Amino acid sequence: MRNFDFSPLYRSAIGFDRMANILDSLNRAEQNQPSYPPYNIELTGEDKYRITMAVAGFDRSEINIEVNQNNLTVSANKAAEEQQRTYLHQGIAARSFERRFQLADHVQVQSANYENGLLHIDLQRIIPDAMKPRTIPIGTSSAPDKLTHVAAANAENDATSKDASIVAA
């Protein structure tokens, strides 16, 4: 496996240390994660994704999907068989597993479906309105006049309140 050195990134970029830490942790996590069960990650549309996992031999009640912050965890616990079987060849691995996926910011799980031994998890990146590009209107040069009028109105109010305090005294 390749090792990446992120020190040049730390020298020239500010605020990207979180991204470098995520890449580093993903690299370490991928080395420790088993290859079972096989899965696909596909782009199904703009900002839409689908994870498809081959979970043949599992009932949907044995599969657990959990999202915690930006981590998606898919796990399954295979119930013990009541009847002992003697296999001449066992090619279907129906063992318990746990698979973790690191989600980017604003990626949310939309749905999960189990069909024909495949688990489909649909995800979508939903960018908040505050983070979307927006157009900033450009004001006219009459804006300073409004400030002058407000300052003049405040001065008139101050003079009126001084007159009222003199009358009250």
Side-chain angles (χ1 to χ4, degrees):
M1 192 76 196
R2 296 182 191 138
N3 289 328
F4 297 101
D5 181 20
F6 293 111
S7 57
L9 181 66
Y10 293 128
R11 286 193 305 256
S12 61
I14 298 170
F16 290 96
D17 52 337
R18 180 173 174 257
M19 184 185 325
N21 290 338
I22 288 172
L23 291 172
D24 190 40
S25 68
L26 285 174
N27 186 28
R28 277 187 268 117
E30 188 63 32
Q31 291 173 358
N32 297 332
Q33 224 177 87
S35 60
Y36 177 77
Y39 65 93
N40 294 333
I41 300 175
E42 61 183 304
L43 182 65
T44 59
E46 186 176 339
D47 294 331
K48 292 184 179 185
Y49 308 91
R50 174 176 272 183
I51 299 171
T52 302
M53 299 180 77
V55 290
F58 287 95
D59 186 58
R60 88 180 52 193
S61 64
E62 297 172 325
I63 300 172
N64 184 34
I65 302 171
E66 183 179 313
V67 178
N68 185 5
Q69 294 178 352
N70 286 356
N71 292 311
L72 170 66
T73 304
V74 181
S75 60
N77 291 317
K78 189 66 178 163
E81 291 186 11
E82 296 174 6
Q83 179 185 2
Q84 187 70 12
R85 297 181 186 206
T86 304
Y87 292 100
L88 298 177
H89 171 75
Q90 185 177 6
I92 300 172
R95 60 183 181 265
S96 298
F97 68 87
E98 182 176 286
R99 169 69 66 179
R100 295 179 186 271
F101 298 93
Q102 179 77 32
L103 302 179
D105 291 339
H106 313 295
V107 172
Q108 298 175 359
V109 176
Q110 298 297 309
S111 65
N113 297 307
Y114 184 77
E115 172 183 21
N116 298 328
L118 297 174
L119 176 66
H120 302 285
I121 303 170
D122 293 315
L123 305 118
Q124 183 174 5
R125 180 177 24 212
I126 301 174
I127 300 173
D129 290 336
M131 296 185 73
K132 290 182 180 177
R134 58 190 172 108
T135 304
I136 307 299
I138 300 172
T140 62
S141 61
S142 63
D145 293 340
K146 291 180 182 177
L147 294 176
T148 307
H149 294 298
V150 169
N154 287 341
E156 287 179 28
N157 289 341
D158 288 342
T160 308
S161 62
K162 286 181 186 175
D163 292 342
S165 62
I166 293 172
V167 173

